[in-house]
Amino acid sequence: MKFQSTDDYVATDDLTIAVNAAVTLERPLLVKGEPGTGKTELARQVSQSLGLRMIEWNVKSTTRAQQGLYEYDAVSRLRDSQLGEERVHDVKNYIRKGKLWQAFEAGEKVVLLIDEVDKADIEFPNDLLQELDKMEFFVYETGETISARHRPIVIITSNNEKELPDAFLRRCFFHYIRFPDPETLRKIVEVHHPGIKDALLTTALTQFYEIREQAGLKKKPSTSEVLDWLKLLLAEDMTAADLKSSGTNALPKLHGALLKNEQDVHLFERLAFMARSGR
């Protein structure tokens, strides 16, 4: 069971090695990187490449670790008892299975994605240590222990918004997805936009990397944003000459796909003004 690049996803050699190492060690794969570099998509592609079903747990700021195991609806049970419902006698009717429970009870090996773990409270990762390590947990309401029938491939993503606990990191295999170099980005673009003209792609990527490297930029555009930008350029039937007509340091064509806040837009407007004034 080896992961490799798919028709829809270009995986670098170090990323491929990281995924397969985590699978071999049966450790969660912790993937970090700037937003838009394909961390979430990686889990989907691992699922596709290995022919496994994926269970996705999207973490929010209000998410608690317990929700991944199960939730007991005591309010509904109290209401049903007042109404004389028969189902009230079986507590299992009031237990909602979480994503970890679903992955543990699956009849086959699955990919479990825990997406954006750093969004939750700092205690969230620590609260999952035992379950991810031993692949089991105890249900107090029923007195049963839920153990994984088949150990899932666990992929955990983080945007590096906060530090994760050392005890949690020790249990993971770690990989940082670096922003792709121009050659790798070309391959990614060709997967999503096959047949794009070389002159347009070369000019667009040159402008894109110049934008990313601009000093003072608050938010660097990501892989997903350059793909959106190229989609718009193709839809508008733009050429390399059209892009070059923007001029040095001017706002790029359809810049709203790349620059996502007014501070960065103003930065490029000032640069364009200074470039014109210097002529």
Side-chain angles (χ1 to χ4, degrees), residues 77-189:
R77 193 180 189 196
L78 175 60
R79 185 189 63 239
D80 286 351
S81 68
Q82 292 170 340
L83 296 174
E85 296 282 353
E86 278 298 316
R87 66 195 303 269
V88 77
H89 300 295
D90 188 352
V91 70
K92 291 182 179 179
N93 291 324
Y94 303 94
I95 290 179
R96 186 184 301 115
K97 297 176 181 179
K99 299 296 184 179
L100 265 72
W101 191 328
Q102 294 173 30
F104 285 6
E105 73 173 2
E108 74 286 349
K109 197 177 190 69
V110 300
V111 174
L112 173 62
L113 169 63
I114 304 177
D115 201 24
E116 298 189 327
V117 69
D118 53 332
K119 275 189 176 180
D121 183 87
I122 190 61
E123 290 304 318
F124 178 88
N126 278 335
D127 290 344
L128 289 176
L129 290 180
Q130 175 103 352
E131 290 75 17
L132 291 177
D133 201 23
K134 295 190 174 181
M135 283 288 152
E136 66 178 30
F137 62 90
F138 185 71
V139 183
Y140 294 95
E141 289 77 8
T142 64
E144 60 184 329
T145 297
I146 305 299
S147 301
R149 297 172 63 184
H150 303 275
R151 193 178 187 97
I153 296 172
V154 181
I155 298 178
I156 304 170
T157 72
S158 167
N159 287 330
N160 231 2
E161 292 180 2
K162 63 174 69 130
E163 289 295 320
L164 297 173
D166 288 346
F168 180 77
L169 296 175
R170 281 199 303 272
R171 288 164 169 82
C172 298
F173 189 93
F174 173 75
H175 181 75
Y176 184 85
I177 297 184
R178 294 181 178 84
F179 194 83
D181 57 39
E183 182 181 349
T184 303
L185 190 54
R186 272 182 169 270
K187 294 177 182 177
I188 293 171
V189 170

Side-chain angles (χ1 to χ4, degrees), residues 137-256:
F137 62 90
F138 185 71
V139 183
Y140 294 95
E141 289 77 8
T142 64
E144 60 184 329
T145 297
I146 305 299
S147 301
R149 297 172 63 184
H150 303 275
R151 193 178 187 97
I153 296 172
V154 181
I155 298 178
I156 304 170
T157 72
S158 167
N159 287 330
N160 231 2
E161 292 180 2
K162 63 174 69 130
E163 289 295 320
L164 297 173
D166 288 346
F168 180 77
L169 296 175
R170 281 199 303 272
R171 288 164 169 82
C172 298
F173 189 93
F174 173 75
H175 181 75
Y176 184 85
I177 297 184
R178 294 181 178 84
F179 194 83
D181 57 39
E183 182 181 349
T184 303
L185 190 54
R186 272 182 169 270
K187 294 177 182 177
I188 293 171
V189 170
E190 285 164 7
V191 165
H192 292 270
H193 302 297
I196 187 171
K197 291 181 180 177
D198 186 67
L200 173 62
L201 180 56
T202 299
T203 302
L205 291 187
T206 299
Q207 288 191 5
F208 173 73
Y209 277 102
E210 286 174 352
I211 291 170
R212 273 190 58 87
E213 293 164 9
Q214 178 60 53
L217 199 65
K218 184 177 181 181
K219 183 196 176 301
K220 294 182 178 182
S222 66
T223 309
S224 62
E225 287 159 340
V226 73
L227 292 175
D228 286 346
W229 185 49
L230 287 168
K231 184 177 181 179
L232 288 173
L233 297 181
L234 292 170
E236 294 294 326
D237 201 24
M238 289 196 178
T239 64
D242 293 328
L243 288 184
K244 289 176 181 177
S245 69
S246 295
T248 306
N249 288 331
L251 280 167
K253 301 287 188 182
L254 300 166
H255 63 271

